Amino acid sequence: MASYPVNRHHPPASETSSGAFWMVATMLLGLAVAVVGFFALLMWADARESRDAAAQPAEAAAPATAGQDDATNSNTALPLNSFAGVVPENAAELAVAHKPYDATLPPVPAGDLVKVQMTLKDMVVEVAPGVRYNTWAFDGHGAPGPIVHVREGQTVEMTLKNGGAIPHSIDFHAARIAPDIAFKDVMPGESITYRFKAPDPGVYMYHCGTKPVLAHIANGMYGAIIVEPKAGLPKVDNEYVLVGSEWYLNGDGIKEPASLDMAKARARMADWVTFNGYANQYVTHPLTAKPGETTRFWVVAAGPTNNVNFHVVGAIFDRAWVNSDLASPPQKGVQTVVVPAGGGAVFDVKIDAEGLYPFVSHAFADVDLGQVGLLKVGNPKE
Ligand SMILES: [Cu+2]
């Protein structure tokens, strides 16, 4: 039987060990090159990924400014257009011709029962000279609604008629009452009557409380109710009611009336900020006092969102009933008081020297948008 030596073709041992060495070395070298190559590849891929990632924001940002299609992209913040300060050319004449909201505190009706009737109506009003706006407001008044003045302990009988196109309601901050019954929605063409006793003296906001309340207040559905303390307050010479509020417009309101821009209302981006519904109306038509007289301001911040930081330039409040807490003694020698949105406060100020004394919300962005008036003391030279 033939044997077939397995190592017949094997080289000599010395030769064999040398060959194996080179073979292993070559293999290791190849492996090393492969490994280095592999890592190089990984690093290259990684670098490329990083570069792409760095480039991404710029690439993503570009389409956002590219066109209207992106208006539907929820990741894109829409531009909100401001119409602040935009008035027609004859604005100065229109401001003079405007009949200002009567800020004078009306007298308290006699008797134990005070009947108040209001009709809500969709109506166009001016909120600044030549700037018209589609309100949901109060027939015969616009916005704010009528000033209601009662005495502590009187009963208010409120009748609200809805002459508008959608449901509305009326919420009196001066009442202690179940809101789900008294402040419920009233359908168009219908009315509601409810009674409440005015137990707590102060100056209070009333407003439509129908959802979304932001829209109903922003559209002009608010006013002030004053509950005079039974024992009275120190006697003063002049009493004025100021309701602060702001307007959010979807157009400039000049060629056609503007309506509410809800996105701007949510963003707190007001176009006009007012006392008694019209920008700067008491600058053109100042409230008045005589030198040495004391003037009382009953102030409500209707909002919907802004506070009124009430201050009279050139004067210091002799008495300030902060938060309209008339049951406690007033603060004295106060310069500026925050009247929170939905709140009120009462201020007495005695001014001796003739002059023009601006009353403002000292949040000056709001002055810039129209929340300023003048108290004209005596007959100062213009
Ligand atoms: Cu309403």
Side-chain angles (χ1 to χ4, degrees), residues 99-169:
K99 187 175 180 291
Y101 183 98
D102 186 0
T104 311
L105 179 70
V108 174
D112 291 335
L113 182 67
V114 178
K115 292 186 176 181
V116 179
Q117 296 190 343
M118 296 182 198
T119 301
L120 299 173
K121 195 179 169 188
D122 301 346
M123 60 200 289
V124 176
V125 302
E126 274 199 0
V127 299
V131 177
R132 291 174 303 146
Y133 183 89
N134 289 310
T135 60
W136 303 332
F138 298 86
D139 195 19
H141 295 272
I147 299 166
V148 181
H149 189 191
V150 300
R151 184 165 288 112
E152 179 187 353
Q154 281 182 318
T155 296
V156 178
E157 184 184 277
M158 176 66 212
T159 299
L160 182 76
K161 189 177 172 202
N162 186 354
I166 60 168
H168 295 294
S169 57

Side-chain angles (χ1 to χ4, degrees), residues 120 136 166-169 207-212 215-217 221:
L120 299 173
W136 303 332
I166 60 168
H168 295 294
S169 57
H207 64 91
C208 176
T210 300
K211 291 175 185 169
H216 287 251
I217 295 178
M221 311 194 85

Side-chain angles (χ1 to χ4, degrees), residues 233-234 296 317-322 325-334 346-348:
L233 288 177
R296 177 167 295 152
F317 298 125
D318 298 282
R319 290 180 284 256
W321 287 272
V322 179
D325 171 13
L326 297 180
S328 305
Q331 293 184 9
K332 291 177 180 173
V334 177
V346 188
F347 304 93
D348 285 359

